[in-house]
Amino acid sequence: QRPILTTSILLVLQRSIEISMLQKIIDTICREPYRLFFPIGIWMGLVGVSPWFLYAFGFSAAYSGFFHSSLQMMVYMNCFVVGFLMTFIPRFTGTSYATKNEVFGFLFLFVGMAVFLRPEQWVVAEVMYCFWFLLLLRFLLVRIPKRRESPQARPPIELIWIPTGILLGMTGTLLMILSQMRVLPVNLIKAAKPMMEQGFILRCWEWPQRYGY
C-alpha cells in the first residue's frame, strides 16, 4: 500500500505543478496578449500566401485571390492589431488586463475565420468578422471610460480612428454579406470589399505609427 500511496502523491504533485505552469502561461498571455497573437499572425501570413507558392510549383491548378486578400486582411493583419491593442490599452489607461474570456474569444474568432475561409465559406467567415468587431469595441469601451485620471493615462486624440475604423469595417462587411446573399446587387462587392478590408486597418493603424509603435 505504501508504494501505491507514494505514487498517488507524486501524481497529485505532478498534476498540481502542471496546472500551476499552465496558469502562469495564461496569466502571461492575458497581461501581454501579443505573445499569443503575433506568432499566430506570422503563421496566418504564411498560410495566406501559400496559394501563390502551390500554384507556382504546380501543386495547384488555380489560386483564389479572394481567399488570399480575405485571410491577409481579416486574420493576418488583425492578429497584430489585437495583440498590440490588448497589450497597449490596459497599460496606457491603467485599467485591467485582458481576461481569459476576451483572449480566447479573439482566438476562437481568428481560428474560425481561417477555417471557414479555406473552403470558401465567405459569408460564415464574414459573420464571424462582425462579431470580431463587436468584441474589439467591447474591449475598448470597458476600459477607456475607467482610465486613471492623470495626464499620462489620457488617451491620444488619434484614438478616435479606432471606433471610426470599426464602423467602416463593419459596414463594409455587412454590405459584403448582403451582396453575396443577393439581398443587395452583386456589383456592390466591388466597393464593399475594400471597405471591409481596408477601412478598419488603414484608420486603426495610422495613430500608433505617430507614436513610434
mmCIF file of all heavy atoms in Angstrom, residues 120-153:
data_model
loop_
_atom_site.group_PDB
_atom_site.id
_atom_site.type_symbol
_atom_site.label_atom_id
_atom_site.label_comp_id
_atom_site.label_asym_id
_atom_site.label_seq_id
_atom_site.Cartn_x
_atom_site.Cartn_y
_atom_site.Cartn_z
ATOM 1 N N GLU A 120 -13.914 28.348 -48.721
ATOM 2 C CA GLU A 120 -14.636 29.420 -49.391
ATOM 3 C C GLU A 120 -16.049 29.624 -48.850
ATOM 4 O O GLU A 120 -16.972 29.984 -49.587
ATOM 5 C CB GLU A 120 -14.668 29.191 -50.909
ATOM 6 C CG GLU A 120 -13.274 29.116 -51.527
ATOM 7 C CD GLU A 120 -13.285 28.992 -53.034
ATOM 8 O OE1 GLU A 120 -14.399 28.901 -53.608
ATOM 9 O OE2 GLU A 120 -12.205 28.999 -53.639
ATOM 10 N N GLN A 121 -16.190 29.440 -47.547
ATOM 11 C CA GLN A 121 -17.450 29.767 -46.878
ATOM 12 C C GLN A 121 -17.385 31.228 -46.452
ATOM 13 O O GLN A 121 -17.268 31.562 -45.271
ATOM 14 C CB GLN A 121 -17.658 28.839 -45.673
ATOM 15 C CG GLN A 121 -17.764 27.375 -46.019
ATOM 16 C CD GLN A 121 -19.026 27.061 -46.808
ATOM 17 O OE1 GLN A 121 -20.096 27.603 -46.527
ATOM 18 N NE2 GLN A 121 -18.903 26.188 -47.796
ATOM 19 N N TRP A 122 -17.466 32.115 -47.448
ATOM 20 C CA TRP A 122 -17.194 33.517 -47.225
ATOM 21 C C TRP A 122 -18.152 34.151 -46.220
ATOM 22 O O TRP A 122 -17.721 34.890 -45.330
ATOM 23 C CB TRP A 122 -17.272 34.299 -48.545
ATOM 24 C CG TRP A 122 -16.551 33.706 -49.700
ATOM 25 C CD1 TRP A 122 -17.074 33.400 -50.918
ATOM 26 C CD2 TRP A 122 -15.155 33.359 -49.793
ATOM 27 N NE1 TRP A 122 -16.108 32.882 -51.755
ATOM 28 C CE2 TRP A 122 -14.925 32.845 -51.093
ATOM 29 C CE3 TRP A 122 -14.081 33.423 -48.906
ATOM 30 C CZ2 TRP A 122 -13.682 32.405 -51.529
ATOM 31 C CZ3 TRP A 122 -12.840 32.989 -49.342
ATOM 32 C CH2 TRP A 122 -12.640 32.491 -50.621
ATOM 33 N N VAL A 123 -19.447 33.889 -46.378
ATOM 34 C CA VAL A 123 -20.444 34.551 -45.536
ATOM 35 C C VAL A 123 -20.265 34.180 -44.069
ATOM 36 O O VAL A 123 -20.347 35.041 -43.180
ATOM 37 C CB VAL A 123 -21.870 34.211 -46.017
ATOM 38 C CG1 VAL A 123 -22.915 34.750 -45.039
ATOM 39 C CG2 VAL A 123 -22.116 34.798 -47.409
ATOM 40 N N VAL A 124 -19.993 32.900 -43.794
ATOM 41 C CA VAL A 124 -19.800 32.469 -42.402
ATOM 42 C C VAL A 124 -18.598 33.187 -41.797
ATOM 43 O O VAL A 124 -18.648 33.687 -40.660
ATOM 44 C CB VAL A 124 -19.606 30.943 -42.325
ATOM 45 C CG1 VAL A 124 -19.390 30.506 -40.874
ATOM 46 C CG2 VAL A 124 -20.814 30.216 -42.905
ATOM 47 N N ALA A 125 -17.499 33.252 -42.559
ATOM 48 C CA ALA A 125 -16.296 33.929 -42.065
ATOM 49 C C ALA A 125 -16.573 35.417 -41.837
ATOM 50 O O ALA A 125 -16.101 36.002 -40.863
ATOM 51 C CB ALA A 125 -15.152 33.749 -43.060
ATOM 52 N N GLU A 126 -17.354 36.024 -42.704
ATOM 53 C CA GLU A 126 -17.646 37.449 -42.569
ATOM 54 C C GLU A 126 -18.583 37.735 -41.391
ATOM 55 O O GLU A 126 -18.467 38.776 -40.742
ATOM 56 C CB GLU A 126 -18.235 37.968 -43.879
ATOM 57 C CG GLU A 126 -17.197 38.068 -44.996
ATOM 58 C CD GLU A 126 -17.777 38.014 -46.390
ATOM 59 O OE1 GLU A 126 -19.024 38.048 -46.522
ATOM 60 O OE2 GLU A 126 -17.002 37.931 -47.359
ATOM 61 N N VAL A 127 -19.493 36.818 -41.116
ATOM 62 C CA VAL A 127 -20.331 36.967 -39.921
ATOM 63 C C VAL A 127 -19.459 36.923 -38.670
ATOM 64 O O VAL A 127 -19.638 37.718 -37.729
ATOM 65 C CB VAL A 127 -21.418 35.869 -39.867
ATOM 66 C CG1 VAL A 127 -22.107 35.854 -38.504
ATOM 67 C CG2 VAL A 127 -22.452 36.091 -40.966
ATOM 68 N N MET A 128 -18.483 36.017 -38.648
ATOM 69 C CA MET A 128 -17.562 35.945 -37.517
ATOM 70 C C MET A 128 -16.730 37.221 -37.425
ATOM 71 O O MET A 128 -16.384 37.671 -36.326
ATOM 72 C CB MET A 128 -16.659 34.717 -37.648
ATOM 73 C CG MET A 128 -17.398 33.400 -37.636
ATOM 74 S SD MET A 128 -16.312 31.956 -37.609
ATOM 75 C CE MET A 128 -15.788 31.978 -35.898
ATOM 76 N N TYR A 129 -16.436 37.818 -38.565
ATOM 77 C CA TYR A 129 -15.683 39.069 -38.577
ATOM 78 C C TYR A 129 -16.495 40.188 -37.924
ATOM 79 O O TYR A 129 -15.939 41.041 -37.225
ATOM 80 C CB TYR A 129 -15.328 39.427 -40.018
ATOM 81 C CG TYR A 129 -14.254 40.486 -40.174
ATOM 82 C CD1 TYR A 129 -13.199 40.568 -39.273
ATOM 83 C CD2 TYR A 129 -14.287 41.389 -41.226
ATOM 84 C CE1 TYR A 129 -12.200 41.524 -39.422
ATOM 85 C CE2 TYR A 129 -13.300 42.344 -41.385
ATOM 86 C CZ TYR A 129 -12.267 42.411 -40.485
ATOM 87 O OH TYR A 129 -11.282 43.360 -40.630
ATOM 88 N N CYS A 130 -17.811 40.185 -38.149
ATOM 89 C CA CYS A 130 -18.675 41.173 -37.481
ATOM 90 C C CYS A 130 -18.621 40.999 -35.969
ATOM 91 O O CYS A 130 -18.537 41.981 -35.219
ATOM 92 C CB CYS A 130 -20.113 41.017 -37.970
ATOM 93 S SG CYS A 130 -20.397 41.577 -39.662
ATOM 94 N N PHE A 131 -18.637 39.758 -35.507
ATOM 95 C CA PHE A 131 -18.532 39.505 -34.068
ATOM 96 C C PHE A 131 -17.158 39.927 -33.554
ATOM 97 O O PHE A 131 -17.021 40.379 -32.414
ATOM 98 C CB PHE A 131 -18.782 38.026 -33.765
ATOM 99 C CG PHE A 131 -20.232 37.659 -33.741
ATOM 100 C CD1 PHE A 131 -20.813 36.984 -34.803
ATOM 101 C CD2 PHE A 131 -21.042 38.008 -32.658
ATOM 102 C CE1 PHE A 131 -22.157 36.647 -34.791
ATOM 103 C CE2 PHE A 131 -22.386 37.679 -32.638
ATOM 104 C CZ PHE A 131 -22.953 37.001 -33.710
ATOM 105 N N TRP A 132 -16.136 39.807 -34.393
ATOM 106 C CA TRP A 132 -14.788 40.246 -34.017
ATOM 107 C C TRP A 132 -14.779 41.755 -33.769
ATOM 108 O O TRP A 132 -14.202 42.223 -32.773
ATOM 109 C CB TRP A 132 -13.802 39.884 -35.130
ATOM 110 C CG TRP A 132 -12.392 40.239 -34.839
ATOM 111 C CD1 TRP A 132 -11.459 39.492 -34.184
ATOM 112 C CD2 TRP A 132 -11.732 41.477 -35.172
ATOM 113 N NE1 TRP A 132 -10.272 40.175 -34.100
ATOM 114 C CE2 TRP A 132 -10.411 41.380 -34.698
ATOM 115 C CE3 TRP A 132 -12.143 42.630 -35.831
ATOM 116 C CZ2 TRP A 132 -9.491 42.419 -34.863
ATOM 117 C CZ3 TRP A 132 -11.227 43.659 -35.997
ATOM 118 C CH2 TRP A 132 -9.919 43.543 -35.519
ATOM 119 N N PHE A 133 -15.419 42.504 -34.644
ATOM 120 C CA PHE A 133 -15.512 43.956 -34.451
ATOM 121 C C PHE A 133 -16.231 44.290 -33.149
ATOM 122 O O PHE A 133 -15.809 45.188 -32.401
ATOM 123 C CB PHE A 133 -16.255 44.600 -35.626
ATOM 124 C CG PHE A 133 -15.412 44.815 -36.848
ATOM 125 C CD1 PHE A 133 -15.776 44.255 -38.056
ATOM 126 C CD2 PHE A 133 -14.255 45.576 -36.799
ATOM 127 C CE1 PHE A 133 -15.001 44.449 -39.197
ATOM 128 C CE2 PHE A 133 -13.474 45.774 -37.923
ATOM 129 C CZ PHE A 133 -13.857 45.207 -39.126
ATOM 130 N N LEU A 134 -17.317 43.601 -32.876
ATOM 131 C CA LEU A 134 -18.089 43.863 -31.658
ATOM 132 C C LEU A 134 -17.275 43.542 -30.407
ATOM 133 O O LEU A 134 -17.328 44.275 -29.412
ATOM 134 C CB LEU A 134 -19.384 43.045 -31.667
ATOM 135 C CG LEU A 134 -20.405 43.434 -32.742
ATOM 136 C CD1 LEU A 134 -21.585 42.468 -32.720
ATOM 137 C CD2 LEU A 134 -20.888 44.866 -32.545
ATOM 138 N N LEU A 135 -16.507 42.447 -30.455
ATOM 139 C CA LEU A 135 -15.679 42.075 -29.308
ATOM 140 C C LEU A 135 -14.579 43.101 -29.077
ATOM 141 O O LEU A 135 -14.277 43.464 -27.932
ATOM 142 C CB LEU A 135 -15.080 40.683 -29.529
ATOM 143 C CG LEU A 135 -14.300 40.083 -28.356
ATOM 144 C CD1 LEU A 135 -15.173 39.983 -27.108
ATOM 145 C CD2 LEU A 135 -13.757 38.699 -28.731
ATOM 146 N N LEU A 136 -13.986 43.608 -30.153
ATOM 147 C CA LEU A 136 -12.954 44.631 -30.029
ATOM 148 C C LEU A 136 -13.546 45.925 -29.468
ATOM 149 O O LEU A 136 -12.941 46.565 -28.589
ATOM 150 C CB LEU A 136 -12.313 44.895 -31.388
ATOM 151 C CG LEU A 136 -11.224 45.979 -31.418
ATOM 152 C CD1 LEU A 136 -10.065 45.613 -30.506
ATOM 153 C CD2 LEU A 136 -10.731 46.205 -32.851
ATOM 154 N N LEU A 137 -14.722 46.300 -29.964
ATOM 155 C CA LEU A 137 -15.374 47.508 -29.460
ATOM 156 C C LEU A 137 -15.694 47.378 -27.976
ATOM 157 O O LEU A 137 -15.486 48.325 -27.201
ATOM 158 C CB LEU A 137 -16.652 47.773 -30.255
ATOM 159 C CG LEU A 137 -17.402 49.062 -29.925
ATOM 160 C CD1 LEU A 137 -16.527 50.284 -30.222
ATOM 161 C CD2 LEU A 137 -18.695 49.142 -30.719
ATOM 162 N N ARG A 138 -16.160 46.223 -27.565
ATOM 163 C CA ARG A 138 -16.450 45.990 -26.148
ATOM 164 C C ARG A 138 -15.186 46.096 -25.305
ATOM 165 O O ARG A 138 -15.185 46.688 -24.223
ATOM 166 C CB ARG A 138 -17.081 44.618 -25.953
ATOM 167 C CG ARG A 138 -17.403 44.305 -24.492
ATOM 168 C CD ARG A 138 -17.686 42.846 -24.273
ATOM 169 N NE ARG A 138 -17.833 42.578 -22.845
ATOM 170 C CZ ARG A 138 -16.824 42.371 -22.010
ATOM 171 N NH1 ARG A 138 -15.555 42.447 -22.464
ATOM 172 N NH2 ARG A 138 -17.030 42.130 -20.737
ATOM 173 N N PHE A 139 -14.088 45.528 -25.798
ATOM 174 C CA PHE A 139 -12.813 45.589 -25.074
ATOM 175 C C PHE A 139 -12.412 47.037 -24.816
ATOM 176 O O PHE A 139 -11.947 47.382 -23.726
ATOM 177 C CB PHE A 139 -11.733 44.867 -25.875
ATOM 178 C CG PHE A 139 -10.379 44.889 -25.225
ATOM 179 C CD1 PHE A 139 -10.039 43.947 -24.273
ATOM 180 C CD2 PHE A 139 -9.442 45.864 -25.553
ATOM 181 C CE1 PHE A 139 -8.798 43.966 -23.658
ATOM 182 C CE2 PHE A 139 -8.203 45.898 -24.945
ATOM 183 C CZ PHE A 139 -7.874 44.943 -23.992
ATOM 184 N N LEU A 140 -12.597 47.889 -25.799
ATOM 185 C CA LEU A 140 -12.232 49.296 -25.656
ATOM 186 C C LEU A 140 -13.190 50.037 -24.727
ATOM 187 O O LEU A 140 -12.758 50.806 -23.861
ATOM 188 C CB LEU A 140 -12.218 49.966 -27.029
ATOM 189 C CG LEU A 140 -11.205 49.424 -28.046
ATOM 190 C CD1 LEU A 140 -11.427 50.073 -29.403
ATOM 191 C CD2 LEU A 140 -9.780 49.644 -27.571
ATOM 192 N N LEU A 141 -14.481 49.807 -24.895
ATOM 193 C CA LEU A 141 -15.474 50.538 -24.103
ATOM 194 C C LEU A 141 -15.438 50.163 -22.633
ATOM 195 O O LEU A 141 -15.794 50.975 -21.767
ATOM 196 C CB LEU A 141 -16.881 50.273 -24.672
ATOM 197 C CG LEU A 141 -17.159 50.853 -26.060
ATOM 198 C CD1 LEU A 141 -18.564 50.493 -26.511
ATOM 199 C CD2 LEU A 141 -16.960 52.365 -26.074
ATOM 200 N N VAL A 142 -15.005 48.950 -22.323
ATOM 201 C CA VAL A 142 -14.917 48.534 -20.926
ATOM 202 C C VAL A 142 -13.779 49.252 -20.212
ATOM 203 O O VAL A 142 -13.861 49.523 -19.007
ATOM 204 C CB VAL A 142 -14.730 47.003 -20.843
ATOM 205 C CG1 VAL A 142 -14.281 46.571 -19.449
ATOM 206 C CG2 VAL A 142 -16.037 46.296 -21.193
ATOM 207 N N ARG A 143 -12.729 49.621 -20.947
ATOM 208 C CA ARG A 143 -11.523 50.138 -20.301
ATOM 209 C C ARG A 143 -11.327 51.647 -20.416
ATOM 210 O O ARG A 143 -10.943 52.295 -19.449
ATOM 211 C CB ARG A 143 -10.301 49.413 -20.871
ATOM 212 C CG ARG A 143 -10.204 47.995 -20.352
ATOM 213 C CD ARG A 143 -9.265 47.129 -21.158
ATOM 214 N NE ARG A 143 -9.192 45.806 -20.535
ATOM 215 C CZ ARG A 143 -10.105 44.858 -20.728
ATOM 216 N NH1 ARG A 143 -11.146 45.092 -21.519
ATOM 217 N NH2 ARG A 143 -9.999 43.684 -20.135
ATOM 218 N N ILE A 144 -11.556 52.199 -21.568
ATOM 219 C CA ILE A 144 -11.238 53.618 -21.757
ATOM 220 C C ILE A 144 -12.018 54.527 -20.816
ATOM 221 O O ILE A 144 -11.448 55.457 -20.235
ATOM 222 C CB ILE A 144 -11.442 54.015 -23.236
ATOM 223 C CG1 ILE A 144 -10.375 53.315 -24.087
ATOM 224 C CG2 ILE A 144 -11.359 55.527 -23.405
ATOM 225 C CD1 ILE A 144 -10.471 53.594 -25.558
ATOM 226 N N PRO A 145 -13.334 54.320 -20.588
ATOM 227 C CA PRO A 145 -14.029 55.197 -19.622
ATOM 228 C C PRO A 145 -13.527 55.054 -18.186
ATOM 229 O O PRO A 145 -13.740 55.953 -17.366
ATOM 230 C CB PRO A 145 -15.493 54.738 -19.727
ATOM 231 C CG PRO A 145 -15.592 54.070 -21.058
ATOM 232 C CD PRO A 145 -14.264 53.411 -21.261
ATOM 233 N N LYS A 146 -12.846 53.935 -17.859
ATOM 234 C CA LYS A 146 -12.366 53.702 -16.495
ATOM 235 C C LYS A 146 -10.888 54.061 -16.323
ATOM 236 O O LYS A 146 -10.274 53.675 -15.326
ATOM 237 C CB LYS A 146 -12.568 52.232 -16.110
ATOM 238 C CG LYS A 146 -14.035 51.810 -16.103
ATOM 239 C CD LYS A 146 -14.159 50.344 -15.733
ATOM 240 C CE LYS A 146 -15.613 49.899 -15.736
ATOM 241 N NZ LYS A 146 -15.749 48.454 -15.391
ATOM 242 N N ARG A 147 -10.333 54.780 -17.270
ATOM 243 C CA ARG A 147 -8.905 55.086 -17.223
ATOM 244 C C ARG A 147 -8.579 55.915 -15.976
ATOM 245 O O ARG A 147 -9.425 56.607 -15.422
ATOM 246 C CB ARG A 147 -8.481 55.859 -18.471
ATOM 247 C CG ARG A 147 -9.102 57.238 -18.575
ATOM 248 C CD ARG A 147 -8.772 57.891 -19.906
ATOM 249 N NE ARG A 147 -9.281 59.245 -19.972
ATOM 250 C CZ ARG A 147 -10.506 59.565 -20.310
ATOM 251 N NH1 ARG A 147 -11.378 58.608 -20.594
ATOM 252 N NH2 ARG A 147 -10.901 60.826 -20.356
ATOM 253 N N ARG A 148 -7.333 55.864 -15.587
ATOM 254 C CA ARG A 148 -6.877 56.680 -14.461
ATOM 255 C C ARG A 148 -6.960 58.160 -14.806
ATOM 256 O O ARG A 148 -6.723 58.554 -15.946
ATOM 257 C CB ARG A 148 -5.416 56.329 -14.124
ATOM 258 C CG ARG A 148 -5.212 54.924 -13.594
ATOM 259 C CD ARG A 148 -3.731 54.659 -13.447
ATOM 260 N NE ARG A 148 -3.029 54.868 -14.711
ATOM 261 C CZ ARG A 148 -1.728 54.693 -14.876
ATOM 262 N NH1 ARG A 148 -0.974 54.346 -13.850
ATOM 263 N NH2 ARG A 148 -1.169 54.886 -16.053
ATOM 264 N N GLU A 149 -7.301 58.954 -13.816
ATOM 265 C CA GLU A 149 -7.395 60.402 -14.035
ATOM 266 C C GLU A 149 -6.007 61.029 -13.869
ATOM 267 O O GLU A 149 -5.671 61.588 -12.840
ATOM 268 C CB GLU A 149 -8.389 61.020 -13.059
ATOM 269 C CG GLU A 149 -9.830 60.580 -13.286
ATOM 270 C CD GLU A 149 -10.342 60.964 -14.659
ATOM 271 O OE1 GLU A 149 -9.879 61.999 -15.186
ATOM 272 O OE2 GLU A 149 -11.197 60.232 -15.204
ATOM 273 N N SER A 150 -5.226 60.909 -14.910
ATOM 274 C CA SER A 150 -3.894 61.515 -14.907
ATOM 275 C C SER A 150 -3.526 61.855 -16.344
ATOM 276 O O SER A 150 -4.014 61.222 -17.281
ATOM 277 C CB SER A 150 -2.851 60.561 -14.308
ATOM 278 O OG SER A 150 -2.694 59.424 -15.125
ATOM 279 N N PRO A 151 -2.662 62.861 -16.541
ATOM 280 C CA PRO A 151 -2.282 63.242 -17.907
ATOM 281 C C PRO A 151 -1.663 62.091 -18.678
ATOM 282 O O PRO A 151 -1.836 61.975 -19.886
ATOM 283 C CB PRO A 151 -1.276 64.380 -17.692
ATOM 284 C CG PRO A 151 -1.599 64.915 -16.335
ATOM 285 C CD PRO A 151 -2.068 63.741 -15.530
ATOM 286 N N GLN A 152 -0.905 61.218 -17.967
ATOM 287 C CA GLN A 152 -0.243 60.116 -18.645
ATOM 288 C C GLN A 152 -1.247 59.094 -19.177
ATOM 289 O O GLN A 152 -0.968 58.384 -20.147
ATOM 290 C CB GLN A 152 0.751 59.419 -17.706
ATOM 291 C CG GLN A 152 1.960 60.258 -17.334
ATOM 292 C CD GLN A 152 1.633 61.318 -16.289
ATOM 293 O OE1 GLN A 152 0.608 61.233 -15.621
ATOM 294 N NE2 GLN A 152 2.501 62.306 -16.150
ATOM 295 N N ALA A 153 -2.415 58.991 -18.510
ATOM 296 C CA ALA A 153 -3.406 57.996 -18.909
ATOM 297 C C ALA A 153 -4.458 58.560 -19.848
ATOM 298 O O ALA A 153 -5.409 57.875 -20.177
ATOM 299 C CB ALA A 153 -4.090 57.428 -17.664
#
